[in-house]
Amino acid sequence: MTLAFLTTPLLGMTDIAVVGRIADAETLGGLVVGTLIFDFVFALCNFLRAGTTGLTAQALGAGAKREIEAVLIRAGLLALVISLLLVLLEPLVMALGLLAVAPGPRVAEAASTYVFVRMFSAPFALVNYVILGSVLGRGRSGLALALQILLNGTNIALSILFGLGFGWGIEGVALGTVCGEAAGCLAGLAVLAGGLSGGRLPSHAEIFERRRFLEMLGVNRDIMIRSFCLLAAFTLFTRIGAGLGPVTLAANGLLMTLFMTGSYFLDGVATASEQLAGLAVGARARTAFDRVVSLTSLWGCVIGAVLAAIVLLAGGMLVDLLTTEPGVRVAARLYLPFAAATPLVGALAFVMDGIYIGATWSRTMRDMMVLSLLAFAALGYGLTPAFGNAGLWLGFDVFIGLRGLTLLAALGPQRDRVFAAPPR
């Protein structure tokens, strides 16, 4: 799954390279703004992937094959409804995005063009979230990797062909994304349809069983709130950093890029913990669940420590590769130790998120995220006036560390409650 997640950043780099070769700075800025809008909207919809993974893994652990397929269809229907609303409300989404970013007229025009075309990928993209969640919940990470390579590979190839080869520019890049999402969606549905138990779909009664349907909606609601709070934390970090001047803002952006790149490795461990924890909960195997927690926590911390060492030792060289601006280089090096600490102190948060998603303990995960966000807001605004950017980074490190520690503290009672209850 780490390999699968690492294919995603290639898309952004390809799109920028294509548009950057054939268009002016305003069009390139429009691509950045349009991508930012989609990243925000689709990040909020990531609950479709995460919720499907947890519910599917639990059904697999319980040996309920028909429920595995029913979860897929329920989540797929929800994805289609949400995507239809996004397509219909595209002008409103675009207006809110431009209001938040406030770009210049030509940048706004290019962003509007990109968003209009790419919005047609919403049904495929959101169903792909569901397909990926179902595949991961079944423990078929190799298939997940293959589907991501197909999706992203098709996206990259067609974006280059349409945008650069045919000279369609930013419209071609957006169309390439639509085709890539469609290819991944059709391939995923074909594979999953071939594995239907009994060769038939679940009945209407199985799909719309009231308790199961409400459970899915509740889990997805909580994960969406959690995702919104996480996005709010990154936005708050950027907002406070912007008040410290453009050099500090740029330096923080480079350092955050290093952390976000490293997070793909931690996401691989988190995804493994989702499937394995859900499997253990579904099978009511407490010993296996405890083993999952200990192993994924260990590997998460090991990977976090390795990433921290890489950033600390090679961060200066990486910063120099990303910018030639002397002031930004100096500022980035000054706060490099804070950025290096982030994957280490945040490793537990990634793992615990995976455990809680797999076990569908979404309400507790949501509550701990809200608590951590409030703590970050207090520390960010409280420490920055006295300690500047160092105070901001310290507040962020506390935020991400607090997420993991609060979830770990709540793990014992949650585990005792679930494994003491009779199977559903």
Side-chain angles (χ1 to χ4, degrees), residues 331-355:
R333 280 181 166 81
L334 182 61
Y335 303 108
L336 198 60
F338 292 100
T342 305
L344 180 58
V345 300
L348 188 61
F350 279 83
V351 173
M352 287 295 112
D353 270 356
I355 296 292

Side-chain angles (χ1 to χ4, degrees), residues 102-229:
R106 289 194 61 198
V107 172
E109 181 182 358
S112 298
T113 300
Y114 177 81
V115 170
F116 175 78
V117 176
R118 187 177 168 184
M119 190 60 80
F120 289 103
S121 74
F124 302 115
L126 297 193
V127 171
N128 277 330
Y129 280 178
V130 173
I131 293 171
L132 181 59
S134 183
V135 168
L136 292 176
R138 302 172 197 221
R140 301 181 65 182
S141 56
L143 175 59
L145 172 60
L147 289 175
Q148 290 299 106
I149 290 176
L150 172 66
L151 189 160
N152 292 332
T154 303
N155 190 336
I156 290 172
L158 292 182
S159 292
I160 294 173
L161 176 64
F162 296 157
L164 201 58
F166 293 169
W168 293 349
I170 195 169
E171 296 96 332
V173 168
L175 182 60
T177 301
V178 175
C179 294
E181 294 284 1
C185 181
L186 294 176
L189 289 175
V191 172
L192 293 178
L196 285 174
S197 59
R200 62 182 180 87
L201 294 171
S203 67
H204 183 276
E206 289 173 314
I207 295 171
F208 293 99
E209 199 274 313
R210 186 174 183 275
R211 181 178 62 83
R212 299 283 190 182
F213 208 89
L214 291 177
E215 179 186 29
M216 180 197 71
L217 292 177
V219 168
N220 287 339
R221 175 203 63 212
D222 294 336
I223 296 176
M224 183 180 68
I225 294 172
R226 168 258 182 197
S227 298
F228 181 83
C229 290

Side-chain angles (χ1 to χ4, degrees), residues 44 159 202 264 307 364 399 416:
L44 286 180
S159 292
Y264 288 107
L307 292 173
T364 302
F399 158 71
D416 294 342

Side-chain angles (χ1 to χ4, degrees), residues 41-42 44-53 55 69-87 122-131 207-208 212-224:
V41 173
F42 283 2
L44 286 180
C45 294
N46 189 53
F47 62 83
L48 291 166
R49 201 283 304 163
T52 303
T53 299
L55 293 170
E69 292 153 5
V71 168
L72 172 65
I73 297 174
R74 286 186 207 116
L77 291 173
L78 181 60
L80 289 175
V81 170
I82 294 173
S83 62
L84 178 60
L85 289 174
L86 286 175
V87 172
F124 302 115
L126 297 193
V127 171
N128 277 330
Y129 280 178
V130 173
I131 293 171
I207 295 171
F208 293 99
R212 299 283 190 182
F213 208 89
L214 291 177
E215 179 186 29
M216 180 197 71
L217 292 177
V219 168
N220 287 339
R221 175 203 63 212
D222 294 336
I223 296 176
M224 183 180 68

Side-chain angles (χ1 to χ4, degrees), residues 160-356:
I160 294 173
L161 176 64
F162 296 157
L164 201 58
F166 293 169
W168 293 349
I170 195 169
E171 296 96 332
V173 168
L175 182 60
T177 301
V178 175
C179 294
E181 294 284 1
C185 181
L186 294 176
L189 289 175
V191 172
L192 293 178
L196 285 174
S197 59
R200 62 182 180 87
L201 294 171
S203 67
H204 183 276
E206 289 173 314
I207 295 171
F208 293 99
E209 199 274 313
R210 186 174 183 275
R211 181 178 62 83
R212 299 283 190 182
F213 208 89
L214 291 177
E215 179 186 29
M216 180 197 71
L217 292 177
V219 168
N220 287 339
R221 175 203 63 212
D222 294 336
I223 296 176
M224 183 180 68
I225 294 172
R226 168 258 182 197
S227 298
F228 181 83
C229 290
L230 187 59
L231 289 171
F234 283 106
T235 303
L236 183 61
F237 179 89
T238 303
R239 182 181 181 86
I240 297 175
L244 299 173
V247 172
T248 299
L249 178 63
N252 284 350
L254 293 183
L255 295 176
M256 192 58 72
T257 298
L258 298 181
F259 166 65
M260 296 303 293
T261 302
S263 70
Y264 288 107
F265 292 88
L266 293 171
D267 274 333
V269 180
T271 304
S273 65
E274 289 177 25
Q275 198 276 335
L276 296 172
L279 195 67
V281 169
R284 290 297 186 269
R286 178 167 179 157
T287 301
F289 179 84
D290 291 342
R291 185 69 170 154
V292 170
V293 173
S294 62
L295 279 175
T296 54
S297 297
L298 172 63
W299 279 107
C301 290
V302 168
I303 291 174
V306 171
L307 292 173
I310 291 173
V311 174
L312 194 60
L313 297 175
M317 180 183 67
L318 295 173
V319 167
D320 290 345
L321 288 174
L322 293 172
T323 182
T324 58
E325 175 60 40
V328 176
R329 284 180 170 182
V330 171
R333 280 181 166 81
L334 182 61
Y335 303 108
L336 198 60
F338 292 100
T342 305
L344 180 58
V345 300
L348 188 61
F350 279 83
V351 173
M352 287 295 112
D353 270 356
I355 296 292
Y356 275 70

Side-chain angles (χ1 to χ4, degrees), residues 26 29-38 40-41 90-116:
E26 286 81 3
L31 172 66
V32 172
V33 171
T35 302
L36 179 65
I37 292 172
F38 270 98
F40 185 85
V41 173
E90 183 270 335
L92 177 60
V93 172
M94 190 66 233
L96 292 175
L98 293 180
L99 182 64
V101 180
R106 289 194 61 198
V107 172
E109 181 182 358
S112 298
T113 300
Y114 177 81
V115 170
F116 175 78

